[in-house]
Amino acid sequence: MLPRCVFILCVFLAKHASAVWPIPRSLSVGTSPLKLSSHFAVRLHIHAPPPDLLSAVSRTRARLHSDRFERLVLGRASADASALEGAPVLSSLTVTLRAGSPIRTIAEEATRSVDAKSESYVLAVTGNPPSATLSANSTLGLLRGLTTFEQLWYDSEGTKYLLNAPVMVEDAPAFPYRGFSFDTSRNFYPVADILRTLDAMSWVKLSVLYWHVIDSQSFPLEVEAFPELAAKGAYSAREIYTRDDIQHIVRYANERGIDVVMELDSPGHTTAISAAHPEHIACAAKSPWSKYANEPPAGQLRIASLSTLAFVRMMFSSIAAALPGTMMSSGGDEVNLPCWDEDEQTMSDLAQRNLTIADALNEFVQTVQAVIKEHGKTPFIKSDMVLTHNAPVTNDTVVVVWQTSEDAASVADRGLRLIHQPSNYFYLDCGAGEWLGNDILGNSWCDPFKTWQRAYSFDPYANLTTDQYKLVLGGQMPLWSEQSSPENLDPIIWPRLAAGAEVFWTGATLPDGSSRLGPNVTSSTQALARLNELRYRLVDRGVNAIALQPKWCVLRPGECDLDS
Amino acid sequence: MKLYGFLLVAAQLPAVLCLWPLPRSLEVGSSALKLASSFEIHLNVAHAPSDLEDAVSRTKAFLKNDKLGRLVVGRGASDSGALQHAPALRSLQLSLAHNVPVRSITDEARLPIGTRSEEYSLHIPADGSTATITANSTLGLFRGLTTFEQLWYEFSGEIYTVEAPVSIADSPAYPYRGFMLDTSRNFFPVSDIKRTLDAMSWVKMSQFHWHVVDSQSFPLEVPGFTELASKGAYSSSMVYTPSDVQEIVSYAGARGIDVMIEIDTPGHTAIISAAHPEHIACAEASPWTTFANEPPAGQLRLASAATRNFTADLLASVARMFPSTIMSTGGDELNVECYTQDAQTQADLSASGRTLEQALDAFTQATHAALRAEGKTPAVWEEMVLDHNVTLGNDTIVMVWISSANAAAVAAKNFRIVHGPSDYFYLDCGAGEWIGDDVANSWCDPFKTWQKSYTFDPLANISAAQAHLVLGGEQLLWTEQSGPENLDSIVWPRAASSAEVFWSGPGGNLTTALPRLHDIAFRMRQRGVNAIPLQPLWCALRPGKCDIDS
């Protein structure tokens, strides 16, 4: 009988828990019902509020009106009808910036340097008397608080309500860098898909879109200095992000608290440049590809060529100048040496300049990092460039750890800052089988599929010493698009991407003081219950997040655990 | 001999020809041919049934609206020179062989499995003179139209092929070419099912296996048993009414697809307890791992005469909703412990003097008798033959699912076989565990790629004398982790893989299959089905460049 008693207790607690995702660092809830007035208003007590804050408030009000999400219990909204009778009515949310806080736009706050962002907020919703206040030190903090506020409410035939007033939230992210890395080169995504993804990212308080915009397969980015790169390297004239598109996407992101880190992967992963500039690419589409690249087509920048270096400098500069953020990446993964060894021009350039290929690679990295810094941005680089090639990166470089989570400690040992993007925890594309032709039994190289539970179990401080903790800026889950496109974008990233969002927002400790990495955290009475709710909210808002379980389980937290 | 002939033809294929499934006999040329703007399809069939006329209209609409650019670099720009002086095809003529009865596509598609006529011939001269499709049935004409639609590309307003003349004599290697959808774990609106039926018909699938109910929800409104859905569906909006069913079977029939409904029994029935707790043993018993393969536990009280009668009546009523001659009573994953711990079942067993196996036999005989009284041939999951001692009619169709290795044992018992092995055909595998608090992988890892499915051999370990027992096979989607949100993307284009195995026969060439599979996936997208990309577009436009050995 004992397990059943414990089980009933869990359900009872779950009924009144808050399903906010990511869960706030500090959260207390009560047991009183509260309804939103049909005339509910958001009152901004801010002198001359910036327009993007006004827009954010409008979006919140629109969603409080249009969201039709009913609480995930048997009977859905009808189960709560009696509890709502005579419930107090909340007529407004009062929003204030703390005294002395500068009034900047959300976009300005979102593009400040990663260690200077202020995202904390305090939210209090009480039922007796009905009152709601949100305060923060920045407009970005207010946006985060509005996002939390939206997630507190359920719908019952048009009436919005909650059952757990008073709700007291004090919140701030554990890590400033909470990202999604997105490959738009292997297959193309229209702007509308990116905007929808940015919306959903903002709903789980992600802070960075790391845009892997180009690669060997296509060059969909219009570069002011070299329009021929996209004209000849994009899949088609329709599959190009114009400079206007880029500005639109970046502004849309920034207004939603998301900074954009553009990655121009180099010197590898650049075959598509050869369509316009064959003179800059070694081993372009050379066969057998497996000798010259990790995937087809082969092709790398001629790093030993001075004219190629000048071209690359101009390309980076042209893009960096157009972007407001303080971060930019030169990629740098999977450099292939036989590609250059067998390239006559590279060999003659090296001989002429009396350089080894390692010297040339160092010079290349220093060149692109210098351009990034000239534009006031922090350079990002992929971990193999540091760990495999010992490239001489600048001290302020942020290293994207991707091959395995175990590489983080090696990067930290070099005193470099890092973000986590380990393939063994975070790659959203893993587990869908080999995409190369003629490979009957091939699985994906990074099998198995990374479940949300797997991503959620990531410890950002694993194997690091406490004095290295400060080097960890956060992390990101990537989608590589060899087998993805608009057709499956939503289902392959949502709701799994939200797991990474909570890892890096909530950090090591859940608001009840327990460890996020403790036993049973992913059970369906704990994180899974909240994630199921987020999934249904995403679907409600038009994002095709997949079902994590049969609906039978979703409506009965605790009944579909391994031990239930 | 047949297989050898197939390989010979495949080896001669130009790389650009993109039909799926591949016709069993195919000759093409290399001339450009346009569709005339006045292009017409003439139905040279007296008293043509309306579903054939509708099929012709759909073909004409696809020809106009597909607007698929050829999957080559430039997407057809390089064809514009050849198109300038290309002859124009003004008409396609459809005719039936002499002295064959003129029945609707729907009626033909619902004939008993093994007696359907799907063969057709298609000829397209290179000079623009009339193209022809001839067949022995309207169903065969429909298959021919489906092939015809796939031959055409669009560039700059012209609809054309670069492979005229075309000469095809085609017929399926196996009659059962199916797809199974589970609509119980999560619900799918009728529109999703219809879109899926459309896509199935484009790859000449013949059978929709509808796993409509299970332990999690009962979304089927059954006349006489309406309480099952009203209390067991996820919500009142998540119910297939009799008119929904009628709409679905009509839609399927008109597209050459028979609908085999499955009411899984006696296991996988927990949700019946919402309306009839008296019929369900171990309903939602905990821990579920003792009583079922997944939550919630619950099985029909097969030893109870009342439950046996209830089940037989329920199945008979469902049978009357579906025109197919096949219906499945399921029978997978029977859990003995559920009955061992159920006091009523134990009392029923001792009162009747039966063992559990004997009770299962009596139960199955009763339900199958009810089906046969409605003119149905029963289908069952493999355990009913391999794990239990159940009396089954000789004509019972056995669905092999646990492992491809089990087909031989079913054949050894002389039952007809439909292949649905989890190790080749389960579309849901590889997406991780869905049970809470479990970091494991899916039970049937890894993900089944189209390549893995494509290499399935329907006759592996089956003797020549038993080969006639193999009716075909199907790919399956169990929907614990699926819903309308990912239906298209998890099913397509992978489910097309088995459609070719069972139409064209096994042994197809992976290297030449991939460009054709890209082609059908791109065409599906043009038609509004969210088929996923199998590769970067760079690869799709350059056949052979992204093989592991290229």
Side-chain angles (χ1 to χ4, degrees):
Chain A
M1 280 309 286
L2 186 59
R4 187 152 280 269
C5 289
V6 170
F7 166 69
I8 288 168
L9 191 66
C10 288
V11 170
F12 181 75
L13 292 174
K15 182 177 175 184
H16 294 287
S18 178
V20 177
W21 191 286
I23 200 159
R25 310 283 294 283
S26 165
L27 169 70
S28 73
V29 296
T31 57
S32 300
L34 179 65
K35 293 193 277 196
L36 271 194
S37 165
S38 55
H39 304 294
F40 174 78
V42 178
R43 303 194 192 286
L44 273 184
H45 287 197
I46 296 169
H47 179 66
D52 61 5
L53 179 60
L54 291 173
S55 300
V57 167
S58 297
R59 289 197 304 274
T60 294
R61 288 185 54 204
R63 285 197 282 261
L64 286 171
H65 182 73
S66 64
D67 279 356
R68 283 289 180 271
F69 173 72
E70 296 184 15
R71 203 159 70 88
L72 292 173
V73 289
L74 282 174
R76 306 298 294 271
S78 65
D80 295 333
S82 62
L84 295 183
E85 283 174 25
V89 176
L90 179 67
S91 59
S92 68
L93 168 68
T94 301
V95 175
T96 55
L97 274 179
R98 274 195 213 97
S101 303
I103 302 177
R104 302 192 192 98
T105 64
I106 295 170
E108 285 170 323
E109 297 282 0
T111 51
R112 298 184 70 197
S113 77
V114 70
D115 42 13
K117 289 185 202 189
S118 167
E119 300 185 83
S120 62
Y121 67 94
V122 175
L123 175 66
V125 180
T126 61
N128 189 17
S131 145
T133 57
L134 168 63
S135 63
N137 294 322
S138 75
T139 54
L140 180 59
L142 294 177
L143 173 73
R144 302 299 182 218
L146 287 169
T147 304
T148 299
F149 185 78
E150 289 169 17
Q151 286 187 8
L152 298 176
W153 306 93
Y154 302 103
D155 180 82
S156 174
E157 294 179 342
T159 299
K160 301 299 182 292
Y161 68 95
L162 51 73
L163 296 174
N164 55 1
V167 178
M168 313 300 272
V169 178
E170 283 185 55
D171 205 7
F175 297 91
Y177 190 110
R178 305 175 307 279
F180 169 53
S181 169
F182 191 28
D183 164 14
T184 59
S185 171
R186 272 58 178 257
N187 284 301
F188 180 82
Y189 299 79
V191 172
D193 287 303
I194 298 177
L195 300 184
R196 188 179 67 259
T197 301
L198 288 166
D199 275 321
M201 288 170 65
S202 76
W203 300 336
V204 292
K205 302 188 175 77
L206 288 174
S207 63
V208 180
L209 172 66
Y210 183 100
W211 194 353
H212 183 87
V213 63
I214 54 171
D215 206 296
S216 278
Q217 285 81 359
S218 77
F219 198 106
L221 178 68
E222 184 187 53
V223 180
E224 184 173 12
F226 303 104
E228 68 276 16
L229 289 170
K232 297 194 175 172
Y235 279 135
S236 74
R238 290 185 316 279
E239 292 168 288
I240 290 174
Y241 304 108
T242 65
R243 286 184 289 140
D244 283 349
D245 289 337
I246 298 291
Q247 292 305 317
H248 180 50
I249 288 166
V250 169
R251 189 165 55 245
Y252 195 92
N254 294 165
E255 288 175 351
R256 283 155 184 77
I258 297 167
D259 201 358
V260 177
V261 178
M262 196 68 89
E263 178 185 276
L264 302 180
D265 202 352
S266 57
H269 291 274
T270 47
T271 317
I273 290 174
S274 70
H277 290 284
E279 70 277 18
H280 295 314
I281 301 297
C283 75
K286 194 167 176 179
S287 178
W289 62 262
S290 53
K291 185 176 177 189
Y292 305 106
N294 281 31
E295 67 179 60
Q300 303 186 148
L301 287 161
R302 288 190 161 122
I303 53 172
S305 151
L306 289 172
S307 83
T308 297
L309 277 183
F311 163 80
V312 169
R313 202 181 293 121
M314 180 80 91
M315 180 173 78
F316 269 78
S317 182
S318 182
I319 293 161
L323 295 171
T326 57
M327 304 177 274
M328 185 166 178
S329 179
S330 62
D333 54 315
E334 301 184 321
V335 162
N336 179 293
L337 296 178
C339 170
W340 287 316
D341 287 343
E342 296 185 22
D343 183 51
E344 273 181 35
Q345 194 198 313
T346 297
M347 287 299 115
S348 84
D349 286 337
L350 289 174
Q352 209 162 31
R353 301 179 58 214
N354 197 22
L355 297 176
T356 65
I357 194 71
D359 296 335
L361 190 58
N362 290 348
E363 180 188 37
F364 180 88
V365 169
Q366 286 173 327
T367 299
V368 294
Q369 288 210 319
V371 186
I372 291 171
K373 294 192 65 145
E374 279 163 25
H375 287 275
K377 300 187 196 301
T378 300
F380 281 51
I381 204 161
K382 290 285 169 71
S383 47
D384 41 341
M385 197 53 89
V386 171
L387 299 180
T388 308
H389 302 287
N390 285 305
V393 298
T394 62
N395 290 337
D396 63 341
T397 299
V398 177
V399 179
V400 182
V401 177
W402 70 275
Q403 281 158 308
T404 162
S405 53
E406 289 170 15
D407 288 342
S410 310
V411 171
D413 286 345
R414 295 175 187 235
L416 292 170
R417 294 186 298 173
L418 62 93
I419 60 167
H420 292 287
Q421 184 194 288
S423 63
N424 52 333
Y425 281 87
F426 285 167
Y427 272 34
L428 293 162
D429 51 308
C430 298
E434 179 58 87
W435 57 270
L436 293 168
N438 227 2
D439 190 3
I440 301 167
L441 298 181
N443 295 320
S444 72
W445 70 272
C446 50
D447 252 22
F449 183 87
K450 307 307 171 217
T451 63
W452 77 268
Q453 295 99 317
R454 171 72 178 167
Y456 196 79
S457 72
F458 184 76
D459 177 2
Y461 292 144
N463 304 317
L464 300 183
T465 62
T466 46
D467 54 343
Q468 290 173 330
Y469 287 2
K470 65 179 188 300
L471 298 172
V472 180
L473 296 181
Q476 61 189 9
M477 296 180 77
L479 177 65
W480 302 105
S481 295
E482 284 88 352
Q483 295 162 300
S484 288
S485 65
E487 287 71 23
N488 64 339
L489 173 62
D490 289 3
I492 205 165
I493 66 177
W494 299 109
R496 284 189 296 153
L497 181 55
E502 183 154 301
V503 166
F504 295 108
W505 179 281
T506 306
T509 309
L510 295 167
D512 68 359
S514 65
S515 169
R516 186 183 53 76
L517 299 170
N520 301 322
V521 290
T522 60
S523 77
S524 61
T525 50
Q526 300 191 44
L528 179 52
R530 289 186 297 111
L531 193 56
N532 274 331
E533 176 164 327
L534 176 72
R535 180 267 172 179
Y536 276 76
R537 284 187 185 274
L538 286 166
V539 171
D540 190 45
R541 292 181 180 180
V543 174
N544 281 330
I546 64 160
L548 296 172
Q549 296 190 307
K551 193 173 180 180
W552 191 92
C553 303
V554 172
L555 297 178
R556 295 166 181 82
E559 302 235 356
C560 295
D561 285 347
L562 194 55
D563 52 357
S564 35
Chain B
M1 278 310 284
K2 239 174 197 168
L3 186 64
Y4 183 68
F6 163 73
L7 289 175
L8 198 66
V9 171
Q12 296 164 348
L13 284 182
V16 286
L17 193 109
C18 291
L19 294 172
W20 194 282
L22 194 65
R24 301 184 76 201
S25 162
L26 168 68
E27 289 171 33
V28 297
S30 54
S31 299
L33 177 67
K34 298 188 279 198
L35 275 195
S37 56
S38 62
F39 174 78
E40 269 303 330
I41 299 177
H42 297 295
L43 202 44
N44 193 13
V45 176
H47 309 294
S50 63
D51 61 4
L52 180 58
E53 289 176 343
D54 292 343
V56 167
S57 299
R58 288 199 304 276
T59 295
K60 285 164 69 177
F62 288 138
L63 290 170
K64 183 168 166 235
N65 300 327
D66 276 359
K67 293 191 166 57
L68 176 62
R70 210 149 66 80
L71 290 180
V72 291
V73 175
R75 302 303 298 271
S78 58
D79 300 330
S80 53
L83 287 181
Q84 279 183 354
H85 306 290
L89 178 65
R90 281 197 294 278
S91 71
L92 168 67
Q93 188 140 291
L94 269 54
S95 46
L96 284 174
H98 293 300
N99 302 322
V100 300
V102 181
R103 287 188 286 243
S104 67
I105 296 171
T106 303
D107 286 345
E108 298 282 357
R110 292 173 183 168
L111 288 172
I113 191 96
T115 67
R116 302 170 191 164
S117 164
E118 301 185 82
E119 66 275 14
Y120 68 94
S121 299
L122 168 62
H123 296 282
I124 306 174
D127 62 2
S129 56
T130 300
T132 58
I133 298 175
T134 56
N136 294 319
S137 75
T138 55
L139 180 59
L141 293 178
F142 174 64
R143 300 296 183 221
L145 283 169
T146 303
T147 300
F148 186 82
E149 289 160 17
Q150 289 181 7
L151 290 167
W152 306 92
Y153 299 97
E154 193 265 356
F155 183 79
S156 188
E158 297 283 7
I159 297 162
Y160 69 99
T161 175
V162 290
E163 292 173 308
V166 177
S167 185
I168 291 171
D170 202 9
S171 62
Y174 295 94
Y176 190 113
R177 306 175 306 279
F179 167 65
M180 191 216 77
L181 181 65
D182 161 14
T183 59
S184 172
R185 272 56 179 256
N186 283 301
F187 180 83
F188 296 81
V190 171
S191 60
D192 286 305
I193 295 176
K194 288 165 74 174
R195 189 179 64 258
T196 302
L197 289 165
D198 274 320
M200 289 169 64
S201 76
W202 301 334
V203 292
K204 300 189 175 75
M205 285 189 180
S206 61
Q207 204 75 37
F208 176 46
H209 172 183
W210 191 357
H211 183 89
V212 62
V213 295
D214 207 295
S215 276
Q216 285 81 0
S217 76
F218 199 104
L220 183 67
E221 184 187 320
V222 183
F225 299 85
T226 52
E227 70 279 11
L228 291 173
S230 62
K231 296 197 174 169
Y234 280 136
S235 74
S236 58
S237 63
M238 295 187 172
V239 171
Y240 304 106
T241 65
S243 74
D244 290 337
V245 168
Q246 177 57 36
E247 189 180 341
I248 287 167
V249 297
S250 300
Y251 198 88
R255 285 156 184 78
I257 297 168
D258 187 33
V259 180
M260 179 180 77
I261 193 74
E262 176 190 346
I263 304 293
D264 202 352
T265 60
H268 290 273
T269 47
I271 200 65
I272 290 176
S273 70
H276 289 288
E278 71 277 17
H279 293 313
I280 301 299
C282 74
E284 301 184 26
S286 178
W288 61 265
T289 46
T290 302
F291 301 107
N293 280 31
E294 67 179 59
Q299 304 186 146
L300 286 163
R301 287 190 163 121
L302 50 69
S304 150
T307 299
R308 197 163 59 230
N309 292 336
F310 164 84
T311 308
D313 291 348
L314 170 66
L315 289 170
S317 186
V318 172
R320 289 190 286 272
M321 300 172 76
F322 289 86
S324 175
T325 61
I326 318 172
M327 178 167 163
S328 173
T329 58
D332 56 320
E333 300 185 320
L334 189 73
N335 181 292
V336 172
E337 194 61 24
C338 171
Y339 294 125
T340 304
Q341 295 195 24
D342 183 51
Q344 194 199 312
T345 298
Q346 292 309 310
D348 288 336
L349 287 174
S350 57
S352 64
R354 285 175 171 144
T355 65
L356 185 64
E357 282 297 322
Q358 289 167 336
L360 175 63
D361 189 23
F363 177 88
T364 307
Q365 289 196 46
T367 58
H368 283 201
L371 289 197
R372 290 182 186 281
E374 300 297 333
K376 308 291 188 201
T377 302
V380 293
W381 294 114
E382 62 172 87
E383 292 103 308
M384 287 291 111
V385 169
L386 299 182
D387 297 352
H388 301 287
N389 200 6
V390 173
T391 311
L392 295 170
N394 291 338
D395 60 344
T396 303
I397 295 168
V398 178
M399 321 285 292
V400 175
W401 70 276
I402 297 174
S403 163
S404 54
N406 293 351
V410 173
K413 300 201 173 204
N414 214 33
F415 284 106
R416 293 188 292 173
I417 294 168
V418 170
H419 291 289
S422 62
D423 49 337
Y424 281 86
F425 286 163
Y426 270 33
L427 293 162
D428 51 310
C429 297
E433 182 55 83
W434 57 271
I435 294 291
D437 227 2
D438 189 356
V439 295
N441 298 322
S442 72
W443 70 271
C444 52
D445 254 22
F447 183 89
K448 308 307 170 214
T449 63
W450 77 269
Q451 304 189 76
K452 169 79 173 171
S453 304
Y454 195 73
T455 57
F456 182 76
D457 177 3
L459 298 181
N461 304 315
I462 289 177
S463 70
Q466 296 163 336
H468 70 280
L469 296 170
V470 178
L471 295 177
E474 63 185 18
Q475 282 174 274
L476 309 90
L477 182 64
W478 302 103
T479 56
E480 286 87 351
Q481 295 161 301
S482 288
E485 294 75 20
N486 66 333
L487 174 62
D488 288 6
S489 57
I490 204 166
V491 173
W492 302 110
R494 281 190 295 153
S497 211
S498 66
E500 179 153 300
V501 169
F502 294 110
W503 179 282
S504 311
N509 179 321
L510 279 173
T511 305
T512 55
L514 179 55
R516 291 185 297 107
L517 190 55
H518 275 308
D519 205 88
I520 191 67
F522 276 78
R523 202 174 285 276
M524 283 183 173
R525 278 186 235 168
Q526 297 298 98
R527 296 180 183 182
V529 171
N530 280 329
I532 64 162
L534 298 169
Q535 295 189 317
L537 181 58
W538 191 91
C539 303
L541 300 181
R542 294 166 179 83
K545 294 274 189 189
C546 294
D547 284 353
I548 193 162
D549 48 0
S550 51

